[in-house]
Amino acid sequence: MSTTAVNLLKVGVVVIIYLFLWFVARSVRAQVAAPSTQAAAARRPRRTAPVVAIIAPESIAGRTMEVRRALVVGRGEAADVVIDDGFASERHARFENVEGTLFVDDLGSTNGTFLNGERITGRTAVEKGDNVRVGGTIMEAR
């Protein structure tokens, strides 16, 4: 093989190496410059579902329920959240999460549903720290 051919091969290999390095650097730069989908999701404010915690009676205190959809509370098996409370109706009250706002509604119970000590008559907004009484069970919105 002639000297000229060997020199052309050397130059060709060097050009290929430089092109490879250029593509790698370009890809790395694009990854660093573009925010990842995880980073973008982390910056977006996360809507957390409201939580309702049972605070009385003591035997079931501490039980929590995250309200992502409508949840029916009562002593019957048809309820989403079954509580052992003789003063609660089978389907006593419904908690709903509407775009991050918690609502409670009495479902025609015998003993009523109370928000901060006052009987509710229809769908009522519940704020953090409010107490909801279903029968003899007291829950706190968190």
Side-chain angles (χ1 to χ4, degrees), residues 16-57:
I16 289 172
I17 290 172
Y18 275 108
L19 283 172
F20 173 76
L21 291 173
W22 182 74
F23 279 113
V24 168
R26 198 169 124 191
S27 296
V28 168
R29 182 174 168 219
Q31 288 293 323
V32 170
S36 69
T37 56
Q38 288 178 340
R43 283 192 303 269
R44 237 179 278 130
R46 216 182 252 182
R47 284 192 182 183
T48 56
V51 173
V52 177
I54 297 175
I55 58 175

Side-chain angles (χ1 to χ4, degrees), residues 20-125:
F20 173 76
L21 291 173
W22 182 74
F23 279 113
V24 168
R26 198 169 124 191
S27 296
V28 168
R29 182 174 168 219
Q31 288 293 323
V32 170
S36 69
T37 56
Q38 288 178 340
R43 283 192 303 269
R44 237 179 278 130
R46 216 182 252 182
R47 284 192 182 183
T48 56
V51 173
V52 177
I54 297 175
I55 58 175
E58 214 172 286
S59 60
I60 57 173
R63 182 177 171 193
T64 61
M65 47 195 159
E66 192 173 40
V67 184
R68 292 194 175 279
R69 57 178 178 82
L71 291 177
V72 174
V73 177
R75 65 179 165 86
E77 294 299 319
D80 298 312
V81 179
V82 179
I83 54 175
D84 185 22
D85 185 339
F87 294 104
S89 296
E90 300 265 330
R91 292 174 39 89
H92 194 105
R94 178 179 42 241
F95 287 95
E96 271 187 283
N97 176 4
V98 179
E99 296 178 5
T101 301
L102 181 64
F103 290 92
V104 66
D105 192 10
D106 185 76
L107 299 176
S109 66
T110 304
N111 293 321
T113 301
F114 294 81
L115 176 64
N116 296 324
E118 293 185 31
R119 189 175 191 145
I120 62 170
T121 56
R123 186 175 181 197
T124 307

Side-chain angles (χ1 to χ4, degrees), residues 53 127 140:
E127 300 291 327
E140 179 184 64

